[in-house]
Amino acid sequence: MSETSGTKPVRRLRTAVRHWRPSGTTTLLTIGGLVMLAPFLWMFSTSLRSAAASVTVPPQWLPTQWHPDNYTRLASDDYPVLRFLQNSVLVSLLATAGIVITSALAGYAFAKLEFRFRNALFGLLLVSLMIPIQVTIVPLYVIMGKLGLIDSPWALVVPALLGAFAPGIPGAFGIFMMRQFFRSTPDALIEAATIDGAGPIRIFFRIALPLAKPALASLTVITFILSWNDYFSPLIFLNSTDIMTLPVGIQSLRPPFGQQSSLVMAAVTVALIPVLLVFVAGQRWIVQGFTRSGLNE
């Protein structure tokens, strides 16, 4: 009885495979997916090879001898990848928290509060989105220098706590995103709360903020991913090896590694795991947040 019930799903699967006829779109998407996955597969394959096998010609997709010890060597004092990982976690979490909090406050103010020059200030905010960080990095470097924060992780965290920018993302993006979302909050709901005696702060924390959970979650995921992957800002503000984040730290380890690209690929694989987990856990919020924000106007 159990064998009969167990063979039915297998038989149905074989029948489905036998009668499966992929369309042109499916075939094209499959090829595109394999092309995009190829660099990651090569990275993981190289991380399991010896130093000599990582530079063989012609290259081989699968290693002839497996070297998982490349990952254990990353925890040694010679290759402080775990320290870089700790620095990246600290900077990304603090920067994400700063951007999300300030974006929620400013986005609600632009969406629901009335004050002078609101539209003009929001227009200037949109203009700032068009200015690349490379243009503002010099005055920002001078400011951080006067504050004594050069070569400190706080040079990356303090601007995010003030809502200016997080590594890899301008703060104006988060404000714009949250403003679009808060515009969907019914004015009648806020007016009813006002009639009941609630002030602006209470309305924000008790009514508007709970309704904005999808947008807050999506902004959190986006900011964390961009901050984690940022290379430019840490390269400018950080000099010491002990406080480097993963993107800059891995690059700085290349000379001691020499031709041992297998160790570099192992470090890159480790760096990819946290951001991949965050993306997989929050991809539903990203889609939902952008969809609801885009349908508000």
Side-chain angles (χ1 to χ4, degrees):
M1 181 67 181
S2 60
E3 293 182 359
T4 304
S5 59
T7 56
K8 285 183 179 179
V10 177
R11 190 180 301 115
R12 285 198 295 266
L13 178 61
R14 291 177 178 174
T15 304
V17 172
R18 191 182 306 115
H19 295 283
W20 182 58
R21 296 291 182 273
S23 62
T25 303
T26 303
T27 304
L28 185 62
L29 291 176
T30 302
I31 295 174
L34 292 175
V35 170
M36 287 187 287
L37 282 176
F40 297 98
L41 296 176
W42 178 259
M43 172 189 69
F44 184 65
S45 173
T46 305
S47 69
L48 295 173
R49 305 180 193 186
S50 64
S54 63
V55 292
T56 55
V57 179
Q60 298 175 342
W61 277 97
L62 293 177
T64 54
Q65 293 183 341
W66 299 85
H67 288 270
D69 57 305
N70 289 332
Y71 288 91
T72 59
R73 294 173 61 188
L74 295 178
S76 65
D77 294 335
D78 295 333
Y79 312 109
V81 175
L82 293 183
R83 189 184 309 158
F84 299 153
L85 183 68
Q86 181 181 359
N87 296 334
S88 285
V89 170
L90 177 65
V91 170
S92 299
L93 288 180
L94 292 177
T96 301
I99 285 293
V100 170
I101 293 173
T102 55
S103 296
L105 292 170
Y108 180 78
F110 278 118
K112 294 300 180 183
L113 300 184
E114 295 291 340
F115 53 91
R116 296 183 64 183
F117 310 119
R118 184 183 71 169
N119 294 331
L121 291 174
F122 187 70
L124 290 176
L125 184 76
L126 294 181
V127 171
S128 68
L129 278 174
M130 307 173 190
I131 302 175
I133 189 175
Q134 289 80 3
V135 176
T136 60
I137 199 67
V138 173
L140 189 62
Y141 187 90
V142 173
I143 294 174
M144 291 297 110
K146 291 184 178 297
L147 294 176
L149 297 180
I150 298 299
D151 199 23
S152 168
W154 292 106
L156 306 175
V157 174
V158 169
L161 295 177
L162 299 176
F165 84 98
I169 178 174
F173 169 78
I175 297 173
F176 172 75
M177 181 176 174
M178 293 307 301
R179 182 254 188 188
Q180 296 301 101
F181 194 90
F182 280 125
R183 284 174 63 88
S184 66
T185 304
D187 292 335
L189 191 63
I190 297 177
E191 291 172 359
T194 304
I195 293 174
D196 289 341
I201 297 178
R202 186 177 180 185
I203 293 175
F204 172 73
F205 284 104
R206 300 294 296 274
I207 297 177
L209 205 57
L211 294 176
K213 286 181 180 177
L216 292 173
S218 59
L219 181 60
T220 299
V221 174
I222 294 171
T223 306
F224 182 85
I225 292 175
L226 293 178
S227 177
W228 184 273
N229 293 330
D230 184 56
Y231 178 80
F232 180 73
S233 301
L235 182 66
I236 297 297
F237 292 109
L238 305 182
N239 300 318
S240 302
T241 304
D242 293 340
I243 60 173
M244 285 183 177
T245 56
L246 269 169
V248 182
I250 292 175
Q251 176 64 24
S252 69
L253 292 177
R254 285 187 62 84
F257 279 12
Q259 297 298 323
Q260 300 187 62
S261 57
S262 57
L263 283 175
V264 176
M265 291 299 173
V268 174
T269 303
V270 171
L272 185 63
I273 293 175
V275 71
L276 185 62
L277 293 176
V278 170
F279 177 77
V280 172
Q283 60 175 340
R284 180 169 63 91
W285 297 106
I286 295 177
V287 175
Q288 186 176 355
F290 271 108
T291 303
R292 295 188 62 177
S293 298
L295 296 177
N296 292 336
E297 293 293 342

